[in-house]
Every structure is written in C-alpha cells, then in structure tokens.
Amino acid sequence: MLRALAVDDERPTLEELVYLLNADPRVGTAEGAGDATEALRRINRALESGPDGPEAIDVVFLDIQMPGLDGLDLARLLTGFARPPLVVFVTAHEDFAVQAFDLEAVDYVLKPVRKERLAEAVRRAAEQRTAAVPAPRVPVHEPDPDHVTVELGGVTRFVPVDEITHVEAQGDYARLHTDRGSHLVRIPLSTLEERWRARGFVRIHRRHLVALRHIGELRLDAGTVSVLVGTEELQVSRRHARELRDLLMRRP
C-alpha cells in the first residue's frame, strides 16, 4: 500500500487529488500540502521516521508552477536525499515534461486529472516502489567553512563561498548565485547572514544577501537604491541603504 503526499497551491485541486488517491485501493494513505515548503517539512519528517516508520512517504504527486519554490526545484532537492520518495508530476503545462523525466519522475499527469489516468500513475509508482532497492546512506560531515555542499542527482558539489555573488531567500531555503549558475540549499537566509557576515556578506533586502566584493555599482534613482551584481540589478531596501553605503565607502 502506497503512502502518498499531494502538493498543489490550489486548494480545490489539492482536495480533489487527495480524494482520488484515497479512493485508489493501492494507496493506503494520502495527505496534502499547499506549497513546496510545507511539503519539504513533511518529507523531512518522513525521512526521519524511516522507510517503515509511521510518517513515511512513498510517492509525491507534485504540481510544478507554485509560488516560491516550484515543483521542479522541490524534485531537484529530493534527488539529493539518501532515500527520496518517488515523484509523479501533476500539472496543467506540457512544457516541462523533458525536465521532469530528466529528474527521473515516475509519470507526468496533465490537468484536469482523470481518474483513469491517475490510476495508471499510481500503478507505475507501486511497481517501481516494489522493484526499488534502497540506496546506501551517505555519511554526514561537518560543513566546510570555505565551501557549501550541494547535492544534486546523486552528485555532491562543493561551491566555494568566495564564488557566491549573492543569495536569494526562498522560504526556509536559499538560492546561491555564482557567475556559473545557481544552487538551491536547505539553509535559511538568516543562518547564512550570520555565518558569512565576517566574510563580507551583507543583507540589502529581506530577500537578498550580497557579497560586497561582487558589487560593481551602487545606483540612486528617484529615491530608490539598487546595486549591480554581475549583470543583475538588485533593489536595496531603505532600512539597509545607509549601512550598505557606509560599508562600500570603507571597502578597500
């Protein structure tokens, strides 16, 4: 019997999906989450519970376009877990199918969801769960102060802190931006602000933390303040503007 989690920011759609899943005889339990951040908290509890624990989740039925963390971001995060749940995407958009299957999704179901089509996705998930062999757990190490560890698709990457130009808050998570791309990590922005203050990172907005050495320009326009970081212009909130100007003036 599958233990399922449905994730969708539209409440009527979520309730219908949970109802259909609970009506399938191969599903033991189905519950819902209204966004990806809530889903991650629930999945973390499931992983702590263990594969046979009372909070375990076997498969996530996941919408793609949601505010904040979207479904593809959540699926990418799950690929870095030692024993992630299976993923079935349930979406109104056909455009993301290639990305979804690159993330090893079990199925890709288009909205509006038909009972028969959802049943086929449940069947595939049940078969894959039966055939799955648990992956070995990766030992957890203390964080390296000079690097950020990023897990993606079973590959561990070590991103140098000095290469990070700025950080964007996404719920309880943070997106690290470098000149070569970005990475999503399970670390709140407030934690990184405290950890990297001595390394020259400064908060310029409730959503952004910036490395002073990567600021190319400070711009003033009609009472608004922004900074140029690489090719990206980021707004500076009023409460942080004076501190930022002082720090830039003292920058060697």
Side-chain angles (χ1 to χ4, degrees):
M1 300 286 281
L2 290 172
R3 296 155 296 187
L5 175 67
V7 187
D8 199 302
D9 63 306
E10 296 180 355
R11 180 56 57 180
T13 303
L14 179 61
E15 291 176 352
E16 175 70 9
L17 185 54
V18 170
Y19 172 79
L20 291 174
L21 288 170
N22 277 317
D24 192 299
R26 290 160 299 195
V27 177
T29 60
E31 56 186 294
D35 57 45
T37 301
E38 180 186 349
L40 274 169
R41 294 192 187 104
R42 177 63 186 86
I43 293 167
N44 278 324
R45 293 204 310 271
L47 295 175
E48 291 170 0
S49 177
D52 300 316
E55 303 240 30
I57 294 173
D58 301 309
V59 56
V60 180
F61 290 81
L62 181 58
D63 188 19
I64 289 182
Q65 291 197 325
M66 295 182 288
L69 224 84
D70 67 24
L72 292 172
D73 285 332
L74 175 55
R76 290 187 187 100
L77 282 172
L78 294 182
T79 62
F81 288 15
R83 294 181 180 176
L86 303 173
V87 172
V88 173
F89 285 102
V90 183
T91 176
H93 305 278
E94 299 180 356
D95 305 342
F96 303 104
V98 173
Q99 294 169 265
F101 288 114
D102 282 345
L103 292 167
E104 300 183 356
V106 173
D107 207 345
Y108 193 89
V109 180
L110 289 175
K111 298 177 182 178
V113 178
R114 293 182 294 108
K115 181 179 179 180
E116 297 78 9
R117 182 63 184 87
L118 185 63
E120 172 62 16
V122 172
R123 182 191 66 78
R124 294 181 184 182
E127 288 183 355
Q128 187 161 328
R129 175 177 175 267
T130 301
V133 177
R137 290 190 176 273
V138 178
V140 178
H141 301 286
E142 289 298 315
D144 178 351
D146 295 322
H147 297 81
V148 181
T149 303
V150 177
E151 303 279 353
L152 181 60
V155 177
T156 302
R157 296 179 180 175
F158 302 95
V159 180
V161 175
D162 289 345
E163 291 185 4
I164 297 170
T165 59
H166 62 288
V167 186
E168 180 183 1
Q170 294 189 346
D172 293 335
Y173 296 76
R175 185 172 292 280
L176 312 177
H177 292 267
T178 71
D179 291 337
R180 293 183 289 182
S182 68
H183 309 276
L184 197 65
V185 295
R186 290 182 289 166
I187 309 174
L189 192 67
S190 57
T191 299
L192 294 178
E193 180 183 12
E194 179 67 26
R195 185 181 297 175
W196 292 345
R197 183 177 290 116
R199 301 183 72 108
F201 282 80
V202 59
R203 181 76 76 101
I204 64 167
H205 190 275
R206 62 182 178 83
R207 294 189 60 239
H208 289 112
L209 186 68
V210 173
L212 287 172
R213 60 185 169 278
H214 288 290
I215 294 177
E217 294 180 8
L218 178 69
R219 297 177 174 180
L220 304 175
D221 182 19
T224 64
V225 182
S226 62
V227 291
L228 190 66
V229 182
T231 59
E232 190 167 355
E233 185 174 358
L234 304 175
Q235 186 172 353
V236 181
S237 66
R238 289 185 179 182
R239 62 176 296 197
H240 296 295
R242 176 174 293 181
E243 178 188 6
L244 177 63
R245 286 197 298 265
D246 290 345
L247 288 170
L248 289 173
M249 290 295 292
R250 297 199 300 268
R251 185 174 63 175

